[in-house]
Amino acid sequence: MTTPQPALIRVENLVKRFPGVVALDDVTLEIHAGEVLALTGENGSGKSTLSKIVGGLYQPDGGRILVDGVERRLANPHAALEHGIVLISQELTLAPTLTVAENVLLGRLPRRGGAIDWPETRRRAAEVLAELGVHIDVERRVDSLSVELQQEVEIARAISTRARLLILDEATSSLSEGATLRLLDIVAGLSARGVAVLMITHRMPEIYASCSRAVVLRDGALAGEAPLPSTAEHELVRMMVGRELLDYYGSRVAAPAEVVLEVDRLHTADGALKPVGFQVRAGEVLGVAGLVGSGKAELAMALGGAIPARGEVRVAGRPLRLGSPRRAIAAGVGYVPDDRRREALLPPRSVAENISLAWLDTITRFGFVRVGAERRDVSQVVTDYGVKTSSLDKRITLLSGGNQQKAILGRTFARGCPVYVLNEPTRGVDVGSKSAIYGYIQRLAEKGAAIVLISSELPELIGLSDRVAVFHHGGIRAVVAGADLTEEVLGSYAVSGTRPDEHPSAVISTGAIEPNDTPTSAVSGAGRTR
Amino acid sequence: MNETLLERIDEKPAPPARRPVWSRIAAATGPATGAIAGIVILTVILAVTQPVFLTWGNITNLVGANSVTLVLALGATFVLLAGGLDLSLVAASAATGMVFGLMLQSGADALPAIAVTLLAGLVFGLLNGVLTSYARIPFLVVTLGTASLFASIALLLNDGKTINVFDFPGFAFVNDFVLGQAFGIPFILMFDIVLIVITAVVLRYTKFGRGIYAVGSNAEAARLNGINVRLTTMLVYVIVGFTAALASLVQVGRLAGAAPTFDATLLLTVIAAVLIGGTAYTGGEGGVGGTVLGVLFLGIIQNGLTLTSVSSFWRGAVNGIVLILAVALGVARQYGWLRFGRKGR
């Protein structure tokens, strides 16, 4: 096979071993100039290892790397940079106390007569940012910028080095929807200018929005390659997981019963959450959609007692005093926060201690933890929720993101609460674990829990919820159910506050929402694979 | 092409790698690897070169000389595990020691004097605890301030003068306890062991102990799961105050006097011992076992320097280097120099 032009980057038969595991096993792939290639797979499939090898951070144990058809050794990130390869990972590498301009041109500041030419620095930095369509004052200190703007500065820096291949390793995982869209725009612009982009992600919407081809890794080996967008999503998922995920969201047969959660005029003092009211029945899943800053996160935290809030909340008829996680737990609210690392995990502790943390009270007698009961209950959670771990005493951070999340959800679900508030329960979790988590949520509802599911993934909300409340500017803009539950309708309410087909002035009233009155509703996402 | 393929096939069956011995030892001993290695190496060297080292006399001497450090370090372990630090513990100990001295001087019996001293320690700890947890002042600021305050109190209590307690009626009991023994085993060693067991049990097997680890690992996660973070934090400082008072009893008992000033390096030795034992200064990891090893390690070093007639001026240098090496080893562990091999995500 001869191509007129050799690929920009070609890796051949790449092998990378770590003690005890083969992280990459005979992987060959090509990236051409101007191409946007998705490198995808579940957590632990080797995608980051591959990107680190191409970025010069790791050395392969076998195989070779060709740049423009010539074999090269990328001994370190600097060597990779000399070939125009720039790796941008989740952890940003900016100098926080320097200005945007200094960061963009770091290490290459223009000089005049031995001194730094500041006007020229600002001009060039502004030029690069303008090229990206990013408008930031180049005089601002980087640590005063939001994460998304910081990332754009980092990309600007990459571009100012005349990068030919930009590797984005899970670059969107810390971004809001708006910033993600802007990043994807930037990627499209780069591609049009002939820059190749390797996007490492398992987020389907992004893959389909940006990439012309996807390479799927599974257990370190090439699981398949697919042209986009002509390959169906379930086909990609099948390659990632290695089996068909027919019943991605699972299904439940539930008869929403009595109202368990009543919320009235719930709001925060700072106005981030304006007074909202709704009710959720036992066995019902109320989805909550909305952009970042729409108030949906505040709703979750207020219900979980994580932040001070005002208004009335009743759980099984009893009023809940707001503003304390301990009181929320005692009242029967199981809250799972969205930021696993910052709000849920005890990073240095074992799987067992992380799990039993959620119900220390119930296994304590006279102040002493009953260790036998603890082991038994923890093992039960690990089994019930499919947490893959070689030992209960293993440090929780050694588990994959999906297994960490299963442990966190499992410990809360095992409390047996009448009400659950789940804030982004599948964030940062791979496809297989997601499907499992959906199943657990369905079982929970089937057993009669009232569930409030806050999510930024619309397909997930549609697949699991009986109704979805869409937040906009701090309040509930609309409650959508039945045939209206589509991404188009939800997205439109979330972004503009109106229905897609509606004139902006004709807006649904935002009064309190009554629960679904249908006596029995079978919600099912069966066969609907994302 | 064929060659590379063959090569690959030959290498491929990467066996579930038998981990090297040192790696397995490191995994089994946990974060206290450095302290254990140091103790073993030093013990072997000293046992060979200094015949007196392994005699019972020297060992009881070692225990006695390090009991104050141990008691203080056990308290400091609690606060470090909870993610804090108490810079005032040695000053608090000096102040409670003066309280004890004054009580004895006033003719009080041993038990009331001890009770008042312990109470003073609890009050000092409560002050630190309330200021850090409920007033939310950073612990470094609070304990730096109270260190100065307690040191001043120690001086003010008896106008800066040492109290010679040997002849006071209440002292006999303390003296007998600190220096006495039964069946050849010093009471102080039994006291140390009891204290070690109690603190270990509290940390490992009580809800309060679990709460300390949770708060030190991730205070927000602890709070969201119903742990009373402020109460836990406050009690940790109260415990430090209590152990400071206990240590002062031992100190007064050993010296037969209550001194208003104290060895300036003691604070560093105490915290170094806890860190060398593998307790993370970031909180949430480590425990009493490590602290005991850390105290023992620094104690053996000191003992070794004495036995080999090296100037005691070297003590600080050796302690400092050992601290940095031990913590460096811990960092290396965390970043996987000894246990690498996690798959890239």
Side-chain angles (χ1 to χ4, degrees):
Chain A
M1 192 176 79
T2 50
T3 35
Q5 185 95 37
L8 173 59
I9 305 285
R10 176 179 166 84
V11 301
E12 268 180 19
N13 312 112
L14 229 46
V15 177
K16 178 70 184 173
R17 273 184 290 268
F18 292 113
V21 269
V22 182
L24 278 185
D25 187 7
D26 194 15
V27 173
T28 299
L29 70 89
E30 284 186 352
I31 309 163
H32 296 271
E35 184 181 28
V36 184
L37 175 65
L39 181 60
T40 185
E42 298 198 74
N43 289 341
S45 60
K47 24 185 221 306
S48 276
T49 307
L50 179 58
S51 74
K52 282 176 179 151
I53 289 175
V54 178
L57 282 166
Y58 289 170
Q59 294 307 309
D61 296 323
R64 52 188 201 145
I65 302 171
L66 294 92
V67 183
D68 297 320
V70 183
E71 182 170 351
R72 301 283 185 188
R73 216 173 84 78
L74 306 174
N76 51 52
H78 193 73
L81 185 64
E82 281 179 359
H83 294 292
I85 302 168
V86 180
L87 170 66
I88 295 183
S89 58
Q90 279 168 278
E91 293 90 42
L92 301 179
T93 57
L94 298 173
T97 58
L98 300 184
T99 65
V100 170
E102 286 170 285
N103 269 288
V104 169
L105 297 172
L106 203 65
R108 296 166 287 111
L109 293 173
R111 282 157 198 275
R112 187 160 49 184
I116 292 167
D117 185 349
W118 290 112
E120 175 69 9
T121 304
R122 287 191 284 272
R123 199 188 59 73
R124 274 206 232 164
E127 200 177 280
V128 178
L129 289 167
E131 249 180 82
L132 286 177
V134 180
H135 304 285
I136 317 174
D137 177 4
V138 296
E139 291 283 85
R140 277 179 72 177
R141 267 169 59 139
V142 157
D143 55 7
S144 73
L145 302 176
S146 66
V147 181
E148 31 255 49
L149 287 178
Q150 289 188 17
Q151 192 162 44
E152 285 168 9
V153 171
E154 181 135 343
I155 292 171
R157 179 163 79 192
I159 292 174
S160 74
T161 64
R162 285 196 217 94
R164 300 166 65 208
L165 170 65
L166 192 63
I167 306 172
L168 296 173
D169 189 353
E170 308 270 6
T172 57
S173 61
S174 53
L175 299 188
S176 67
E177 294 95 308
T180 300
L181 289 178
R182 205 155 61 240
L183 180 65
L184 297 185
D185 274 350
I186 291 173
V187 165
L190 291 175
S191 156
R193 289 171 35 197
V195 178
V197 181
L198 181 62
M199 285 189 34
I200 291 148
T201 177
H202 47 236
R203 292 198 173 176
M204 289 295 167
E206 288 160 24
I207 293 175
Y208 278 86
S210 301
C211 304
S212 56
R213 196 159 61 97
V215 170
V216 183
L217 293 181
R218 188 171 68 239
D219 298 330
L222 219 50
E225 201 185 312
L228 295 174
S230 55
T231 307
E233 223 176 275
H234 69 89
E235 183 62 23
L236 263 190
V237 171
R238 192 190 54 72
M239 285 187 208
M240 287 181 180
V241 185
R243 63 194 150 86
E244 200 84 41
L245 284 179
L246 274 177
D247 203 7
Y248 191 59
Y249 293 104
S251 59
R252 65 174 183 270
V253 181
E258 73 286 355
V259 170
V260 178
L261 177 66
E262 296 163 87
V263 175
D264 193 20
R265 288 178 292 105
L266 181 65
H267 63 284
T268 57
D270 62 4
L273 178 65
K274 297 186 182 118
V276 294
F278 56 84
Q279 301 184 336
V280 189
R281 291 178 183 273
E284 193 187 19
V285 177
L286 173 71
V288 175
L291 302 177
V292 168
S294 64
K296 64 174 180 176
E298 284 76 13
L299 171 73
M301 291 190 279
L303 288 175
I307 55 170
R310 296 172 190 162
E312 275 177 41
V313 176
R314 286 169 180 276
V315 177
R318 277 200 301 273
L320 164 67
R321 283 173 62 208
L322 298 164
S324 151
R326 243 176 309 150
R327 285 198 296 262
I329 291 167
V333 178
Y335 169 60
V336 178
D338 58 339
D339 192 331
R340 189 164 62 230
R341 188 93 201 179
R342 280 186 42 221
E343 298 177 342
L345 285 184
L346 306 178
R349 308 310 301 167
S350 66
V351 174
E353 277 184 52
N354 268 277
I355 290 176
S356 65
L357 175 68
W359 18 265
L360 270 184
D361 277 323
T362 64
I363 51 167
T364 301
R365 195 161 46 192
F366 308 124
F368 285 88
V369 175
R370 291 182 295 144
V371 180
E374 181 187 27
R375 298 301 281 194
R376 193 188 61 226
D377 293 354
V378 167
S379 311
Q380 193 67 45
V381 168
V382 166
T383 316
D384 287 355
Y385 296 95
V387 182
K388 265 183 243 154
T389 175
S390 55
S391 154
L392 297 183
D393 299 317
K394 197 167 171 176
R395 220 178 146 110
I396 187 111
T397 47
L398 294 177
L399 305 190
S400 73
N403 282 305
Q404 290 176 12
Q405 189 67 6
K406 285 181 194 168
I408 298 303
L409 288 167
R411 76 178 180 194
T412 314
F413 291 175
R415 264 193 210 138
C417 301
V419 172
Y420 281 95
V421 179
L422 311 178
N423 196 358
E424 306 284 356
T426 62
R427 176 172 286 176
V429 161
D430 57 81
V431 183
S433 298
K434 269 189 182 177
S435 184
I437 288 170
Y438 296 144
Y440 303 140
I441 295 175
Q442 301 279 27
R443 295 296 80 74
L444 205 60
E446 232 166 31
K447 279 190 277 174
I451 297 172
V452 180
L453 171 69
I454 295 93
S455 175
S456 52
E457 294 200 24
L458 297 178
E460 173 174 306
L461 288 173
I462 295 165
L464 292 173
S465 312
D466 297 278
R467 299 174 292 144
V468 175
V470 188
F471 274 65
H472 185 69
H473 289 322
I476 294 176
R477 192 61 178 178
V479 175
V480 182
D484 273 354
L485 266 182
T486 64
E487 287 192 45
E488 199 193 0
V489 171
L490 293 179
S492 173
Y493 276 123
V495 173
S496 63
T498 56
R499 278 189 72 94
D501 47 5
E502 239 172 23
H503 191 268
S505 62
V507 166
I508 276 195
S509 90
T510 63
I513 302 143
E514 294 307 316
N516 214 338
D517 283 332
T518 39
T520 309
S521 80
V523 168
S524 161
R528 224 184 318 178
T529 1
R530 284 200 314 146
Chain B
M1 177 69 194
N2 267 345
E3 245 173 27
T4 51
L5 197 68
L6 278 177
E7 201 179 12
R8 229 189 42 246
I9 290 168
D10 279 347
E11 284 176 9
K12 197 162 175 191
R18 233 180 86 85
R19 288 157 63 199
V21 176
W22 49 265
S23 164
R24 273 180 291 163
I25 290 174
T29 53
T33 313
I36 293 173
I39 289 170
V40 170
I41 293 166
L42 271 185
T43 302
V44 169
I45 292 174
L46 289 172
V48 171
T49 61
Q50 309 292 324
V52 73
F53 177 70
L54 282 184
T55 60
W56 186 240
N58 187 52
I59 290 171
T60 53
N61 181 29
L62 187 78
V63 170
N66 288 288
S67 282
V68 170
T69 312
L70 177 73
V71 174
L72 290 172
L74 289 175
T77 306
F78 278 75
V79 71
L80 277 155
L81 283 177
L85 185 63
D86 188 344
L87 298 174
S88 74
L89 57 93
V90 171
S93 192
T96 55
M98 290 308 290
V99 169
F100 188 48
L102 286 178
M103 285 299 290
L104 293 177
Q105 193 175 37
S106 73
D109 273 343
L111 289 181
I114 290 171
V116 170
T117 306
L118 293 177
L119 191 67
L122 291 175
V123 170
F124 289 158
L126 194 66
L127 178 65
N128 279 331
V130 169
L131 290 177
T132 42
S133 62
Y134 290 94
R136 300 193 204 184
I137 305 169
F139 58 81
L140 280 180
V141 176
V142 168
T143 61
L144 199 60
T146 55
S148 189
L149 173 69
F150 298 157
S152 220
I153 289 176
L155 287 166
L156 287 168
L157 280 176
N158 196 39
D159 209 17
K161 293 192 290 283
T162 297
I163 305 169
N164 186 337
V165 300
F166 192 77
D167 298 326
F168 299 136
F171 181 65
F173 172 79
V174 182
N175 192 43
D176 290 349
F177 183 81
V178 173
L179 301 179
Q181 57 179 39
F183 314 111
I185 300 168
F187 287 134
I188 194 72
L189 176 58
M190 300 183 198
F191 171 77
D192 287 348
I193 290 172
V194 168
L195 200 60
I196 289 166
V197 170
I198 291 174
T199 49
V201 167
V202 167
L203 281 175
R204 290 195 67 82
Y205 297 112
T206 66
K207 189 184 167 218
F208 171 58
R210 293 297 187 80
I212 291 172
Y213 279 105
V215 169
S217 301
N218 184 345
E220 183 62 9
R223 187 178 80 95
L224 290 179
N225 282 285
I227 305 282
N228 191 335
V229 175
R230 286 195 204 166
L231 182 64
T232 306
T233 308
M234 192 196 73
L235 287 177
V236 159
Y237 285 94
V238 172
I239 288 173
V240 178
F242 186 77
T243 55
L246 274 184
S248 74
L249 297 177
V250 177
Q251 179 76 343
V252 171
R254 283 178 57 80
L255 298 179
T261 54
F262 43 86
D263 177 2
T265 63
L266 184 56
L267 175 65
L268 296 179
T269 307
V270 167
I271 293 170
V274 179
L275 294 178
I276 288 169
T279 294
Y281 60 88
T282 47
E285 188 174 20
V288 165
T291 296
V292 172
L293 292 170
V295 172
L296 196 59
F297 185 26
L298 293 182
I300 292 176
I301 290 176
Q302 168 66 5
N303 189 251
L305 292 178
T306 311
L307 293 179
T308 50
S309 321
V310 174
S311 160
S312 68
F313 295 162
W314 279 102
R315 183 184 179 180
V318 175
N319 283 2
I321 292 167
V322 164
L323 169 66
I324 292 171
L325 284 180
V327 174
L329 198 67
V331 173
R333 273 181 56 86
Q334 201 170 350
Y335 288 90
W337 292 357
L338 293 183
R339 294 197 304 164
F340 44 125
R342 283 179 57 206
K343 263 206 260 187
R345 278 193 298 160

